[in-house]
Amino acid sequence: MPSLFELFGYKVFFWSNENDEPIHVHIVKGKPIANSTKIWLTKAGGCMVANNNSKIPEKDLRELLDTITSNYFVIVAEWKKHHADKDIKFYC
């Protein structure tokens, strides 16, 4: 499980086995769990909320989305590194 960064106690990560899903990250406060908030990365260089299962408050979620967007290329590079055998797909 590659951990990308931590902000306000929230961990931003992805799983090593993402079942051929489009590129995305998970966010959770505390221990990473399978049912955490999921954020899709878009082909245009942004991101969008797939779900907010971790019930992150709106203010924190906005700041996390800004940080994810700012680190878009770092996240894509890490995804490529850990999923080198697969083509990168985007949700949109």
Side-chain angles (χ1 to χ4, degrees):
M1 174 202 69
S3 182
L4 299 165
F5 52 88
E6 198 167 318
L7 186 65
F8 317 123
Y10 294 99
K11 290 180 173 79
V12 179
F13 65 97
F14 56 84
W15 301 106
S16 293
N17 179 7
E18 288 287 7
N19 299 321
D20 208 29
E21 286 191 52
I23 187 169
H24 64 278
V25 296
H26 299 274
I27 306 171
V28 70
K29 197 169 235 181
K31 184 180 177 183
I33 57 171
N35 198 24
S36 58
T37 294
K38 183 187 274 188
I39 309 295
W40 299 111
L41 272 66
T42 66
K43 194 179 284 189
C47 62
M48 61 187 282
V49 177
N51 69 59
N52 188 8
N53 290 342
S54 300
K55 303 199 183 328
I56 299 170
E58 188 64 33
K59 179 182 178 287
D60 290 351
L61 189 57
R62 274 194 313 274
E63 291 186 43
L64 286 158
L65 291 173
D66 287 346
T67 303
I68 290 166
T69 299
S70 297
N71 287 280
Y72 178 87
F73 294 107
V74 171
I75 294 167
V76 170
E78 285 297 312
W79 185 277
K80 284 180 181 179
K81 181 172 140 184
H82 289 281
H83 300 97
D85 60 331
K86 298 179 181 156
D87 292 331
I88 287 190
K89 295 186 251 177
F90 292 92
Y91 179 73
C92 63

